[in-house]
Amino acid sequence: MRIAFAFTWLFNPNVGGTERVTDLLARELAQRGHEIYYIYTVKRSSDSEYNYPTNNIYFIEERTFLSSQGELILCKYLIDNKIDVVINQGGLMGTCMNFANLPVSCKSLTVIHFDPHYGLDSLFGELSKLRNTSLSERVKRIYRVFAYPYRKRKLRDYLKSLYSYWNEKSDRIVLLSNSYVPNFIGLCPNVCRDRLTAISNPVSFPISYNINNKSNIILWVGRMDFRQKRPDLMVKVWAKAFFKLPEWRLVMIGDGPMFDSVKNMSRGIPRIELHGRQLSQPYFESAKICASTSAIEGLPMTLLEAISQGAVPIAFDSYASVRDIIKNEEQLVTPYNIDEYVKKLVELADNMSLQERLRKKGYRIAECFSVKNIADNWEELLYSVIS
């Protein structure tokens, strides 16, 4: 089968979660004999830093792709290369809509890599957050709070329109968890239920049962942004927890637009380290606990990677799929209760037997998300679509 993965950016797994899961799936499907193609529309400086699993890489400049000629250019490429299926990884991006306008000979799958509500439930918290202490920012916050009803309505209308489009154009719409089906149907009540399916992300790393190198490290991994990953909340948690955990340190890895803001927030707080963008696996291998503060996720790679390396996760219960990975109330915190987070984090850090019990349970869960199991699900879907 000839399978084309399509997205705004090229699938460099060192850049983002969507890129990483695509790379894993593409490699596994290639090993099974499928021919893999990549299509993308925006170049990044990091594109050349990785050895991709295919040489069939096609770039269409975004301005051209979104023009009246873009659909014709894409269709010609797909027909010329006899592509069977296009897997559009940009299900939340209007700029990816042309990836569903395909020739009759080619099937279209659209993947939504987040909760279909995509921030509707956390929008007020994002808009009302004071991003710095300046007078101008205080005035801007007042404006944002007053604009909240308009912004929420605009986001809801955008999601409804986008999902209606995918329902019309896609042969299948793929969510990351069955727990997201009600949210999608709520925004797209006319969806053809047979077109809607759920396939999880695979875990990135081989499961490591070696805990000899574990240290008293609480690890936070993610993009430094205040909408999705909420590193600011992690700093607030640690500011209250550090004196209760004198033998522990917080390590935060990741880059993003709010890195400097997080760095400024961290000043004067003991035993907190910001390491910027790094390869995450060595950090998971050495950490005993992985702390997540995300408000929005699809199926969080950070938590999957944590349990595969024996780092016990703790997270806000702020999106439905978190319970696909974390099954215990000791590890789930009411959104966005800082004091409760501190209490549960300290209890987890102080209880080695609890850590070991949850670590073993995490390993069993990680095995369910192996690349082989997830690729089996994808192959079943792909063959059903083209048959």
Side-chain angles (χ1 to χ4, degrees):
M1 190 184 309
R2 297 190 175 196
I3 305 165
F5 289 92
F7 195 40
T8 300
W9 300 284
L10 193 53
F11 298 103
N12 184 337
N14 299 320
V15 175
T18 299
E19 292 89 339
R20 190 154 63 255
V21 299
T22 303
D23 180 77
L24 289 165
L25 181 59
R27 289 182 182 279
E28 179 66 21
L29 292 175
Q31 288 180 4
R32 298 182 181 200
H34 301 286
E35 194 165 348
I36 303 300
Y37 293 74
Y38 283 174
I39 305 171
Y40 71 112
T41 63
V42 176
K43 289 186 176 181
R44 292 184 288 203
S45 59
S46 60
D47 288 349
S48 61
E49 299 174 358
Y50 187 69
N51 184 23
Y52 299 98
T54 178
N55 292 321
N56 302 315
I57 298 175
Y58 185 57
F59 172 71
I60 313 175
E61 198 275 329
E62 188 174 60
R63 184 181 301 176
T64 302
F65 178 66
L66 297 177
S67 72
S68 59
Q69 297 299 310
E71 181 181 339
L72 295 176
I73 294 171
L74 175 63
C75 286
K76 183 179 186 305
Y77 176 80
L78 297 175
I79 292 171
D80 289 347
N81 289 277
K82 298 181 174 60
I83 303 299
D84 296 302
V85 181
V86 171
I87 301 177
N88 167 24
Q89 299 283 44
L92 277 170
M93 303 176 72
T95 53
C96 289
M97 292 172 73
N98 271 353
F99 287 134
N101 290 322
L102 307 182
V104 175
S105 60
C106 189
K107 299 300 183 180
S108 169
L109 305 182
T110 297
V111 187
I112 297 175
H113 280 275
F114 287 91
D115 179 340
H117 273 186
Y118 192 60
L120 280 173
D121 304 325
S122 59
L123 183 61
F124 183 79
E126 176 197 350
L127 297 177
S128 62
K129 176 177 173 52
L130 194 64
R131 296 166 188 175
N132 58 59
T133 58
S134 67
L135 178 60
S136 62
E137 168 58 18
R138 293 177 186 275
V139 173
K140 289 178 182 177
R141 180 173 66 169
I142 293 172
Y143 170 79
R144 291 196 301 268
V145 169
F146 274 106
Y148 164 70
Y150 167 77
R151 292 279 297 273
K152 185 171 185 177
R153 184 171 63 252
K154 188 175 181 180
L155 176 57
R156 182 181 293 274
D157 290 346
Y158 168 77
L159 294 174
K160 283 183 174 181
S161 175
L162 189 61
Y163 298 160
S164 177
Y165 180 85
W166 298 137
N167 182 43
E168 177 186 348
K169 295 286 187 178
S170 301
D171 293 285
R172 293 288 191 280
I173 300 166
V174 182
L175 307 177
L176 296 185
S177 170
N178 281 311
S179 63
Y180 287 144
V181 171
N183 283 357
F184 187 93
I185 293 176
L187 291 168
C188 186
N190 295 325
V191 64
C192 178
R193 189 61 182 83
D194 291 341
R195 291 183 184 173
L196 203 58
T197 189
I199 301 179
S200 302
N201 285 334
V203 65
S204 301
F205 312 132
I207 297 176
S208 172
Y209 299 96
N210 180 11
I211 62 170
N212 294 331
N213 297 325
K214 293 291 183 185
S215 302
N216 288 346
I217 294 173
I218 298 164
L219 179 65
W220 184 97
V221 180
R223 177 174 167 79
M224 295 287 180
D225 71 80
F226 286 171
R227 180 177 190 187
Q228 181 189 352
K229 302 296 186 180
R230 298 305 305 268
D232 53 312
L233 296 182
M234 189 68 247
V235 175
K236 289 181 179 179
V237 167
W238 186 246
K240 290 190 171 187
F242 76 86
F243 68 92
K244 298 179 181 180
L245 299 172
E247 297 180 355
W248 289 74
R249 57 194 171 103
L250 171 66
V251 175
M252 301 180 71
I253 65 171
D255 203 353
M258 305 310 294
F259 181 87
D260 288 340
S261 296
V262 175
K263 188 175 181 179
N264 289 335
M265 289 178 63
S266 305
R267 294 188 192 281
I269 302 176
R271 287 174 278 114
I272 180 171
E273 303 170 15
L274 274 67
H275 289 190
R277 180 179 160 190
Q278 304 286 336
L279 293 176
S280 59
Q281 186 171 4
Y283 289 87
F284 284 117
E285 290 174 346
S286 62
K288 289 182 179 178
I289 296 173
C290 175
S292 172
T293 48
S294 293
I296 314 167
E297 290 285 357
L299 190 74
M301 296 299 296
T302 296
L303 299 185
L304 286 176
E305 290 163 351
I307 61 175
S308 75
Q309 305 302 298
V312 179
I314 179 172
F316 285 122
D317 193 10
S318 53
Y319 48 93
S321 70
V322 70
R323 289 179 175 265
D324 291 359
I325 302 171
I326 297 178
K327 311 290 187 180
N328 305 280
E329 296 302 322
E330 300 103 319
Q331 299 165 270
L332 291 170
V333 181
T334 304
Y336 298 94
N337 189 322
I338 300 298
D339 290 336
E340 182 185 337
Y341 203 118
V342 171
K343 180 175 182 291
K344 289 192 172 183
L345 179 63
V346 171
E347 289 174 351
L348 179 58
D350 283 344
N351 192 331
M352 295 296 291
S353 62
L354 176 61
Q355 287 180 42
E356 184 59 23
R357 176 170 64 84
L358 295 177
R359 183 177 292 115
K360 289 179 179 178
K361 184 173 287 190
Y363 285 140
R364 293 194 294 271
I365 294 170
E367 290 167 354
C368 298
F369 292 92
S370 70
V371 176
K372 179 185 179 301
N373 287 340
I374 301 305
D376 287 346
N377 294 335
W378 270 104
E379 272 197 319
E380 182 180 353
L381 174 62
L382 290 167
Y383 282 122
S384 71
V385 167
I386 67 171
S387 62

